[in-house]
Amino acid sequence: MMTQTHLLVAAAVLARPGTPRRNAACVAGALAPDLAILALFGWAVAAGIPQSTLWGETYWRAEWQSIFAIANAVPVYLALLGLSFCLVRPKDGRGRFQTLPAVFALAALLHVAGDLPLHHDDAHVHFWPLSDWRFISPLSYWDRDHHAGLIAPLEALFGMALSVVLFRRFQARWLRIALGVTMAAYVAVPAFFMLAV
């Protein structure tokens, strides 16, 4: 899934009006699995590396794949969730899964769960350090050889529906503007890759 969809899913499930720290933990957790990829993309753009080289060679280097494995590791986020449950005492009578580390871990796990069925050739190692196994899905959110022609429009509709839900839930003008930008990204990002790669 595209990064903005992960953010929208996590926000729809975990974010609440009037809880800025919780919402920040939610956003951070939803972004965590993709941060290394976003950093790689930013570095490549700044360095003038062609998109075909970035996604055809650089992305596949062992050092980057190791970083991606750690960032997408279910055991890491489950351990954080477990530690949060055992060690962090909630305030104000909240449940243990309402603490900031728990919200972060849950958002990251939602991200990984969304990626698992939608990556084919670029499947992540989701069970590092326990296993190097990758689930090679028959579906891909970006690769037309693996049904992206169907998946990408469905993801865009899903993301836009989530944006509407969040638009109704939150009143802050800046957030509503961000949701509008996110909706525009469902058109802009695919257009970029069709033209650049």
Side-chain angles (χ1 to χ4, degrees), residues 2 4 141 144 152-153 156 184-196:
M2 292 197 292
Q4 71 265 25
Y141 76 99
R144 291 199 172 276
Y186 284 109
V187 175
V189 171
F192 172 81
F193 281 104
M194 283 192 283
L195 296 173

Side-chain angles (χ1 to χ4, degrees), residues 53-193:
T53 302
L54 169 63
W55 302 114
E57 297 172 24
T58 311
Y59 175 87
W60 297 103
R61 291 186 184 152
E63 59 272 17
W64 281 108
Q65 289 299 306
S66 295
I67 293 168
F68 303 152
I70 295 166
N72 285 275
V74 170
V76 170
Y77 296 119
L78 286 176
L80 176 59
L81 187 61
L83 285 171
S84 171
F85 187 81
C86 294
L87 301 177
V88 179
R89 301 284 179 229
K91 298 177 183 175
D92 305 326
R94 292 178 290 137
R96 291 189 184 257
F97 290 108
Q98 304 297 316
T99 64
L100 299 181
V103 169
F104 175 91
L106 288 168
L109 288 166
L110 281 170
H111 181 127
V112 171
D115 270 353
L116 193 66
L118 297 175
H119 283 262
H120 181 76
D121 295 338
D122 60 340
H124 297 297
V125 177
H126 286 300
F127 299 100
W128 179 93
L130 305 177
S131 170
D132 287 336
W133 178 79
R134 298 170 193 258
F135 173 67
I136 308 299
S137 174
L139 305 174
S140 172
Y141 76 99
W142 67 269
D143 186 349
R144 291 199 172 276
D145 291 337
H146 299 285
H147 311 290
L150 173 65
I151 299 299
L154 290 175
E155 179 182 352
L157 289 173
F158 179 55
M160 289 181 189
L162 290 170
S163 295
V164 170
V165 167
L166 292 168
F167 192 89
R168 295 182 69 185
R169 185 184 300 170
F170 292 92
Q171 302 299 315
R173 181 175 292 164
W174 70 268
L175 182 57
R176 287 181 166 191
I177 291 169
L179 289 169
V181 170
T182 299
M183 291 175 80
Y186 284 109
V187 175
V189 171
F192 172 81
F193 281 104

